[in-house]
């Protein structure tokens, strides 16, 4: 958690909680949220732009997220993020 704390707006404790959520969503167990798993993220479930948001935060445009991508996305949706970060998506 400490390795991510310096690059995100989250505390180590929040990062541990987010990692647990990431692992819960990772039904396939491959340490990557596949596109379909990404669509199950709380902030995206009712969002009509969810497919595009997943694609934007994935490294290759596939919509699949690593934990780092997941943190970037969660940062962009966080109320703790500055308006610039929320607008730009990380």
């Amino acid at each position: 958690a400490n390795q991510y704390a310096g690059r995100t707006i989250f505390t180590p404790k929040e990062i541990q909680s987010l990692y647990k959520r990431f692992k819960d969503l990772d039904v396939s167990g491959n340490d990557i949220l596949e596109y379909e798993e990404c669509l199950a993220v709380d902030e995206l479930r009712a969002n009509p732009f969810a497919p595009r948001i997943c694609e934007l935060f994935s490294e290759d445009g596939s919509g699949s997220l690593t934990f780092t991508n997941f943190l970037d996305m969660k940062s962009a949706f966080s109320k703790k993020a500055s308006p610039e970060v929320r607008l730009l998506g990380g």
Side-chain angles (χ1 to χ4, degrees):
N2 288 333
Q3 72 188 38
Y4 296 105
R7 70 177 304 274
T8 71
I9 59 173
F10 300 114
T11 66
K13 186 175 182 178
E14 290 170 322
I15 291 169
Q16 288 174 341
S17 177
L18 288 168
Y19 184 72
K20 182 180 180 326
R21 180 66 182 138
F22 177 85
K23 293 303 282 181
D24 289 345
L25 291 167
D26 181 19
V27 177
S28 61
N30 63 351
D31 290 329
I32 293 176
L33 289 188
E34 303 296 340
Y35 178 75
E36 295 78 18
E37 296 167 335
C38 178
L39 295 175
V41 172
D42 299 336
E43 293 86 350
L44 300 181
R45 269 188 264 162
N47 189 325
F49 299 105
R52 185 67 183 129
I53 292 169
C54 291
E55 292 167 3
L56 287 171
F57 281 97
S58 65
E59 292 174 17
D60 60 3
S62 69
S64 297
L65 304 180
T66 63
F67 181 62
T68 301
N69 302 141
F70 179 74
L71 282 179
D72 290 342
M73 183 176 69
K74 294 294 271 189
S75 294
F77 283 103
S78 173
K79 292 177 182 171
K80 292 170 51 174
S82 69
E84 293 82 14
V85 168
R86 290 198 317 250
L87 178 67
L88 298 174

